[in-house]
């Protein structure tokens, strides 16, 4: 049975953030708010937790396209090959914000992602998840939780999310009502930015 923890975005309580981080460090799965939709995540260094997320999503872990939620751009060099100035300017201009940027991965990617040549990077404009990642000390993965309802693609009410997911995850963070438009995904691995998915983020990057 998952824990349900209310955290206010304007002033995240460090004690509550620490409780969430302790659960993540212990291999737990977390559902958390972002600047777009609610997402499912875990510690990117915990293979067992990653396997659980992949199982819930119905995908093989090595083929899963999970994004990394970083605290800020200083985390980039940990997992991303050196990028040019133009690419960095796009990132600096757009983040934190409702984007997922596909970037060339380096050799430091966690073992299960070693075969991947690219990595999706998120720095959401949401103080709750950024506080969690900062206290954890490394990124968490991000995969949005979809609704079976064909009209409402993403559930926005954290209480309804808890009802649906309480037996599958370890903690649900209530950060208020979420959005129902996912992040804009842009591939920055080539010479020019390529739009993969239009979402909440402006296409003017």
């Amino acid at each position: 049975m998952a824990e349900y923890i209310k955290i206010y975005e304007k002033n995240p309580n460090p004690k509550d953030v620490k409780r969430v981080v302790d659960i993540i460090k212990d291999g737990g799965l977390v559902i958390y708010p972002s600047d777009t939709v609610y997402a499912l995540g875990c510690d990117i260094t915990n293979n067992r937790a990653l396997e659980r997320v992949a199982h819930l999503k119905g995908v093989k872990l090595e083929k899963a396209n999970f994004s990394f939620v970083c605290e800020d751009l200083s985390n980039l060099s940990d997992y991303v090959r050196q990028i040019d100035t133009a690419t960095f300017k796009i990132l600096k201009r757009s983040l934190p914000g409702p984007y997922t940027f596909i970037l060339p991965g380096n050799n430091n990617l966690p073992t299960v992602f070693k075969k991947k040549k690219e990595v999706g990077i998120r720095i959401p404009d949401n103080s709750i998840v950024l506080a969690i990642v900062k206290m954890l000390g490394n990124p968490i993965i991000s995969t949005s939780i979809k609704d079976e309802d064909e009209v409402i693609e993403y559930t926005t009410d954290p209480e309804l999310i808890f009802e649906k997911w309480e037996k599958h995850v370890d903690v649900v963070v209530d950060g208020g009502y979420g959005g129902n438009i996912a992040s804009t995904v842009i591939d920055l691995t080539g010479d020019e930015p390529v739009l993969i998915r239009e979402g909440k983020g402006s296409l003017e990057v």
Side-chain angles (χ1 to χ4, degrees), residues 42-193:
C42 69
D43 187 335
I44 63 164
T45 65
N46 189 309
N47 286 359
R48 194 166 167 208
L50 289 165
E51 289 279 8
R52 284 178 64 200
V53 174
H55 179 72
L56 283 174
K57 294 288 284 188
V59 294
K60 288 193 170 177
L61 180 55
E62 57 273 16
K63 293 186 176 175
N65 289 319
F66 298 145
S67 301
F68 291 8
V69 177
C70 300
E71 181 199 347
D72 55 37
L73 288 173
S74 66
N75 290 132
L76 274 193
S77 57
D78 294 342
Y79 307 103
V80 173
R81 281 209 314 269
Q82 194 165 359
I83 54 177
D84 60 32
T85 306
T87 301
F88 187 77
K89 281 183 177 174
I90 290 173
L91 298 175
K92 192 147 187 177
R93 200 163 52 234
S94 310
L95 299 173
Y99 295 92
T100 301
F101 287 109
I102 312 294
L103 295 163
N106 65 19
N107 295 328
N108 297 330
L109 287 174
T111 313
V112 291
F113 301 121
K114 283 288 186 198
K115 291 182 181 174
K116 286 193 173 293
K117 293 179 179 168
E118 300 159 351
V119 61
I121 296 292
R122 281 274 279 133
I123 304 177
D125 188 12
N126 179 286
S127 60
I128 297 170
V129 66
L130 293 182
I132 290 168
V133 171
K134 181 175 184 177
M135 193 178 287
L136 180 65
N138 59 258
I140 59 175
I141 62 159
S142 171
T143 177
S144 47
I145 51 171
K146 293 206 169 186
D147 202 289
E148 277 83 38
D149 190 310
E150 290 179 10
V151 180
I152 308 164
E153 196 175 358
Y154 301 100
T155 306
T156 59
D157 184 338
E159 290 186 10
L160 294 178
I161 291 171
F162 180 71
E163 281 177 25
K164 181 179 175 183
W165 289 87
E166 61 181 322
K167 291 184 178 149
H168 304 289
V169 302
D170 302 285
V171 58
V172 173
V173 177
D174 174 355
Y177 276 85
N180 59 4
I181 302 172
S183 64
T184 293
V185 182
I186 297 176
D187 188 337
L188 294 179
T189 58
D191 294 333
E192 294 289 330

